[in-house]
Amino acid sequence: MVEISVVVPVFDEEESLRELHARLTEVLEGMGRTYEIVYVDDGSGDASLDILREIYETDRRVKLVGFRRRYGKSAALCVGFDEADGGIIITIDADLQDDPAEIPRLVAKLEEGYDLVSGWKKKRNDPVSKTLPSKFFNFMVAAATGLNLHDINCGLKAYRRAVTDHIKVYGQLHRFLPVFAHKAGFKVGELAVVHHPRLHGRTKYGIGRFLHGSLDLLTVILITGYTGSPLHFFGSIGIGFTAGGFVINCYLLYLKISDGNIHGRTPLLMLGVLLMLLGFQLVSTGLLAELITRMGHEGGKEYSLRLRLSHGDAGETGNAGTS
Ligand code: UDP
Ligand code: MG
């Protein structure tokens, strides 16, 4: 068991790795705590894995995992969290844009009583094409989830073990880890960190990240807000639609009976029928979603516990700072 685990996802970062390792080592040794560095190679096509192997051979505090192909940053973090033994887990990008020198401040902030501290690239060194959409995205996330962070997608973050144990990352949802933590009742904080321009290699995400990010936001809203009862979500919209369509059609029926014809009202009739059909569809989608969640929860739902006491078998969950 070590005190601090640093998890580094790596995809094609051959020029940065040696310097990164040297700087991480310097900072972590300076902290005077036990630590390990977990490198997860995400199926790099360049020399990254060979360099990581070299680093592994020379440093006993290094763990190395390598994917056979590229699975993405979320997958790399997920495996890294599983490998990590530390009570505190730090994630940092491998491209030297995040500064290892910020780690002691992140840890100090975490120990002020947070479960997750997210870096905030306050003065960001990236092109406008990246920073502007990112601002908008962060605003949307804050509005939709109630978690007010300036910068959800910072590579540099600190977690207590209880958080990484509780939350499973998949798809591209690593960006939303703070949201999941917040929704599970963990205390999430933010700390401004320095951010450097990318010196070597290039970004692994194109403009597609914002489209995918927005779709992922929908997923996050659904799973954090409605997994308990998806029918409430789909059902309420569905019933609204059906009711609207029903009122329209009743009105047309009334006209038909009183006037004898509804000529010229075809668009309205179509709207009424369409709304009713859409409404039924949505309600049935909700019912299906409800069935699926029910099946997923057959083994019992996972709740995030702060404490579990019982005479004879007392134990607190490792989630200090929130008691
Ligand atoms: N990364 C990864 N797999 C991927 C994409 C990225 O492991 O499919 C790693 C990458 O090597 C870097 C970090 O995730 O360490 C952040 O990637 P990048 O710097 O390209 O993102 P940006 O800074 O542009 O947000
Ligand atoms: Mg980067």
Side-chain angles (χ1 to χ4, degrees), residues 93 95 97 198:
D93 284 355
D95 55 4
Q97 287 197 268
R198 203 181 232 282

Side-chain angles (χ1 to χ4, degrees), residues 112-221:
E112 275 173 24
Y114 290 93
D115 299 307
L116 191 167
V117 176
S118 183
W120 167 22
K121 303 177 293 261
K122 195 167 183 177
K123 203 171 152 301
R124 193 169 167 186
N125 280 297
D126 273 322
V128 186
S129 61
K130 221 158 120 177
T131 51
L132 211 65
S134 168
K135 274 218 169 85
F136 178 68
F137 184 65
N138 282 309
F139 170 78
M140 290 297 291
V141 172
T145 65
L147 176 65
N148 258 310
L149 290 185
H150 290 91
D151 181 10
I152 190 122
N153 195 22
C154 184
L156 196 53
K157 292 190 173 76
Y159 305 83
R160 279 184 198 283
R161 152 135 247 122
V163 178
T164 56
D165 278 350
H166 181 70
I167 294 163
K168 288 286 159 243
V169 224
Y170 65 94
Q172 284 299 318
L173 296 183
H174 61 268
R175 294 193 191 104
F176 297 96
L177 275 165
V179 174
F180 290 119
H182 170 70
K183 294 283 183 185
F186 291 109
K187 199 170 166 206
V188 177
E190 179 172 62
L191 182 74
V193 295
V194 296
H195 182 245
H196 303 291
R198 203 181 232 282
L199 293 179
H200 313 287
R202 53 189 199 82
T203 175
K204 307 300 179 297
Y205 301 101
I207 199 75
R209 85 162 82 200
F210 297 108
L211 175 64
H212 295 160
S214 312
L215 292 174
D216 284 343
L217 180 58
L218 280 181
T219 311
V220 169
I221 293 171

Side-chain angles (χ1 to χ4, degrees), residues 22-254:
R23 286 173 53 188
L24 276 175
T25 305
E26 190 190 327
V27 170
L28 289 164
E29 276 180 352
M31 291 177 75
R33 305 214 192 173
T34 53
Y35 74 88
E36 64 179 3
I37 304 176
V38 185
Y39 290 103
V40 185
D41 178 73
D42 185 18
S44 296
D46 66 358
S48 294
L49 189 59
D50 297 328
I51 296 169
L52 289 175
R53 259 184 224 274
E54 251 173 57
I55 292 174
Y56 169 80
E57 294 298 336
T58 56
D59 191 339
R60 296 197 55 78
R61 291 161 300 194
V62 169
K63 286 181 179 167
L64 176 57
V65 187
F67 287 153
R68 216 176 283 284
R69 67 167 179 86
R70 182 177 180 184
Y71 284 101
K73 188 175 175 182
S74 290
L77 291 179
C78 180
V79 169
F81 288 161
D82 282 346
E83 285 299 316
D85 283 331
I88 292 176
I89 296 171
I90 310 282
T91 58
I92 186 167
D93 284 355
D95 55 4
L96 293 170
Q97 287 197 268
D98 297 332
D99 199 322
E102 298 285 13
I103 292 176
R105 289 180 61 230
L106 271 180
V107 171
K109 175 97 182 178
L110 193 74
E111 290 179 337
E112 275 173 24
Y114 290 93
D115 299 307
L116 191 167
V117 176
S118 183
W120 167 22
K121 303 177 293 261
K122 195 167 183 177
K123 203 171 152 301
R124 193 169 167 186
N125 280 297
D126 273 322
V128 186
S129 61
K130 221 158 120 177
T131 51
L132 211 65
S134 168
K135 274 218 169 85
F136 178 68
F137 184 65
N138 282 309
F139 170 78
M140 290 297 291
V141 172
T145 65
L147 176 65
N148 258 310
L149 290 185
H150 290 91
D151 181 10
I152 190 122
N153 195 22
C154 184
L156 196 53
K157 292 190 173 76
Y159 305 83
R160 279 184 198 283
R161 152 135 247 122
V163 178
T164 56
D165 278 350
H166 181 70
I167 294 163
K168 288 286 159 243
V169 224
Y170 65 94
Q172 284 299 318
L173 296 183
H174 61 268
R175 294 193 191 104
F176 297 96
L177 275 165
V179 174
F180 290 119
H182 170 70
K183 294 283 183 185
F186 291 109
K187 199 170 166 206
V188 177
E190 179 172 62
L191 182 74
V193 295
V194 296
H195 182 245
H196 303 291
R198 203 181 232 282
L199 293 179
H200 313 287
R202 53 189 199 82
T203 175
K204 307 300 179 297
Y205 301 101
I207 199 75
R209 85 162 82 200
F210 297 108
L211 175 64
H212 295 160
S214 312
L215 292 174
D216 284 343
L217 180 58
L218 280 181
T219 311
V220 169
I221 293 171
L222 190 73
I223 50 188
T224 55
Y226 295 98
T227 33
S229 48
L231 186 56
H232 290 180
F233 179 68
F234 291 105
S236 33
I237 307 175
I239 287 176
F241 278 18
T242 310
F246 185 71
V247 169
I248 291 174
N249 289 343
C250 283
Y251 168 66
L252 290 174
L253 183 67
Y254 161 77

